[in-house]
Amino acid sequence: VLATSFSLLRLPKMPELRDKLGKLNFTPAGPEINIHAIQFKDKQRESARQKRLKAELAAGGKNAKQIKAEQRAAERIQKQKERRSNEIAKGRNPNKKRGKQQRIFDEWDELAKEERLYKKLRSNKITKSEYDRQMYGDKDDDLAAESD
């Protein structure tokens, strides 16, 4: 309870806590939170932390393997969340397993949509920014506008 009240994401590695780890009422932060990406407010401490993190990753020791594994797990969970939100946005049940044939049909539908949008762009019925927005969504529209 004390660790939760201090908003700890992970318990420190201390010999006093090793034998009591199972008895504590504490759940550490999941892999969706990248602990190593949290920055210090103090710029000097943050630069020192960045140097130390780079040195650990370059050394390739036990900590580097753990850091990389945590980052891969966080990326995997983020991709799953994005995929799930895309399925929900399309009006599908993300929990339902799809067969190979259904996935093929979905890919053909996606291709047909892209082809229709491209034809509209070629015939100047829609603008390039509108095309980008419909193809890639709102978040990539800002990036496309900057590159024009």
Side-chain angles (χ1 to χ4, degrees), residues 42-69:
D42 184 20
K43 298 208 184 287
Q44 289 179 332
R45 286 186 73 188
E46 177 58 24
S47 62
R49 185 188 74 87
Q50 289 292 335
K51 289 178 185 175
R52 189 174 61 248
L53 193 61
K54 284 181 185 177
E56 284 181 16
L57 290 174
K62 181 181 172 185
N63 286 343
K65 289 180 182 178
Q66 181 183 2
I67 291 169
K68 288 180 182 178

